[in-house]
Amino acid sequence: QAEDAGAEIWSRLVAAEEDSNMMKNELEFQTVRWQAQIEMHQQQCGAVEAKLTEERKLAARYQDRVKAADDRLRKAQEELETMRASLRDAEAKLAARQAPGGAVSASGCGGGSPIMAGRGEPGISLLSLLRCPLRAPSAPLTPAVPWQSVIWQIISTMSGVTALLCTGEALTIQDASRRAFAMWGSAGVRGASFLSLVFDEAARDWIKNEVTFLSNGGIGTADSGHGVGGGSAAEFLLRQIGCIEFRNRLGSAFDSSVFYARLPASHVNSGSAVVRPPAVLFVVEPLEESEPGPGA
């Protein structure tokens, strides 16, 4: 009986040890399984946090861009108000210097001769000189007004404007604004052709044909979408000729909206008999803010 009792106890110990080993194996399996799930969730949480951080950076960047755009818009509005005030002051001075018989003195424009001497007609104001010809009175204006000098002085003094003054036929650059010099460099602008600033040959040919048509008094090509209203070649004309790809002084290409202005022939200044031939004014507005280069 004692031997049977000892055998039974031994068999129970063996069974208990086997149960203990099975439970240890199950515990290890569950530990590895749950550890793998924890690591997987940690990786997913890390990816979500990284994406959230990137989106926060993008949101902050967009907010900075919106703020910068608002600042530029506010600055442009202030400059516009300043220009309007300057034009009103110039108009008031010209009106105050109106000579007897309807002549407006131009002593403040570099000479003593009148800007417009009429037969009893009132003198014209500076704002009326810059008015669009489609909205201007039908009466012809005197060629003694230095149109090109007045318009170029206004355009070149405006901050942030990329403008190029060219000859009427060859489009040789005669002068450029400060931002144009910063974008293409003085060596690439002075005496060069406007077409040399364009990125490819096809765009150069297209611009040349478009400018030739407009310079001859055209009203827009069939595929340009400019609409009607061009006038003769002796009148002022303003058109947006489209989006053109240029290359800056660093060789980088950038897209810009190009405005074309035809400036009729005018005297060099109000006191000179020398007549300046018709000219072309190009205003280039980059579609995206680009780095013009050192000195911008």
Side-chain angles (χ1 to χ4, degrees):
Q1 293 180 352
E3 293 178 359
D4 294 339
E8 184 180 356
I9 294 173
W10 179 256
S11 62
R12 289 180 181 180
L13 289 174
V14 172
E17 187 176 1
E18 291 178 353
D19 291 340
S20 176
N21 292 334
M22 292 179 60
M23 293 178 66
K24 287 181 180 180
N25 293 336
E26 181 67 19
L27 179 61
E28 291 178 358
F29 171 77
Q30 294 295 338
T31 302
V32 172
R33 175 171 171 266
W34 287 108
Q35 186 66 31
Q37 291 186 0
I38 291 173
E39 292 178 355
M40 181 182 66
H41 288 299
Q42 287 178 345
Q43 292 177 357
Q44 293 177 352
C45 291
V48 172
E49 291 179 355
K51 185 176 181 180
L52 181 59
T53 302
E54 185 66 22
E55 290 180 352
R56 287 176 178 173
K57 291 181 180 179
L58 290 176
R61 191 181 307 168
Y62 287 138
Q63 289 177 355
D64 294 340
R65 291 182 179 179
V66 171
K67 183 178 179 182
D70 291 339
D71 294 339
R72 289 196 297 268
L73 178 60
R74 182 168 57 255
K75 184 178 180 181
Q77 290 176 345
E78 293 175 354
E79 293 178 353
L80 178 60
E81 292 299 327
T82 302
M83 292 298 301
R84 287 177 177 174
S86 300
L87 288 174
R88 287 194 295 267
D89 293 341
E91 182 181 4
K93 291 180 180 179
L94 289 175
R97 295 174 182 174
Q98 183 177 3
V104 180
S105 173
S107 59
C109 299
S113 61
I115 290 181
M116 179 177 181
R119 300 176 180 177
E121 302 95 347
I124 58 176
S125 66
L126 181 60
L127 288 177
S128 64
L129 296 180
L130 303 178
R131 187 179 294 117
C132 175
L134 299 179
R135 302 177 183 177
S138 57
L141 299 177
T142 173
V145 178
W147 294 94
Q148 298 181 17
S149 299
V150 172
I151 294 176
W152 178 248
Q153 288 298 324
I154 294 176
I155 294 296
S156 61
T157 54
M158 296 176 66
S159 175
V161 175
T162 305
L164 299 162
L165 182 64
C166 307
T167 58
E169 296 181 359
L171 299 182
T172 301
I173 301 174
Q174 296 177 321
D175 204 348
S177 65
R178 181 178 179 181
R179 183 163 179 81
F181 280 120
M183 185 173 294
W184 287 293
S186 58
V189 170
R190 293 191 184 277
S193 172
F194 175 77
L195 300 177
S196 65
L197 307 178
V198 181
F199 188 77
D200 56 11
E201 188 67 27
R204 296 190 193 103
D205 295 338
W206 181 82
I207 293 177
K208 186 175 182 181
N209 294 333
E210 194 78 1
V211 170
T212 300
F213 188 84
L214 294 175
S215 298
N216 292 331
I219 59 176
T221 58
D223 58 349
S224 62
H226 296 317
V228 297
S232 66
E235 296 179 352
F236 179 84
L237 175 65
L238 178 62
R239 282 288 182 273
Q240 182 179 9
I241 62 176
C243 181
I244 306 297
E245 187 175 11
F246 292 89
R247 186 192 300 273
N248 61 17
R249 64 190 299 181
L250 302 179
S252 302
F254 62 95
D255 291 327
S256 298
S257 180
V258 180
F259 292 84
Y260 163 92
R262 183 180 64 210
L263 307 182
S266 66
H267 287 242
V268 175
N269 53 62
S270 58
S272 173
V274 179
V275 177
R276 179 176 293 170
V280 172
L281 176 64
F282 290 102
V283 177
V284 179
E285 292 185 352
L287 300 183
E288 296 183 357
E289 194 68 20
S290 60
E291 296 294 336

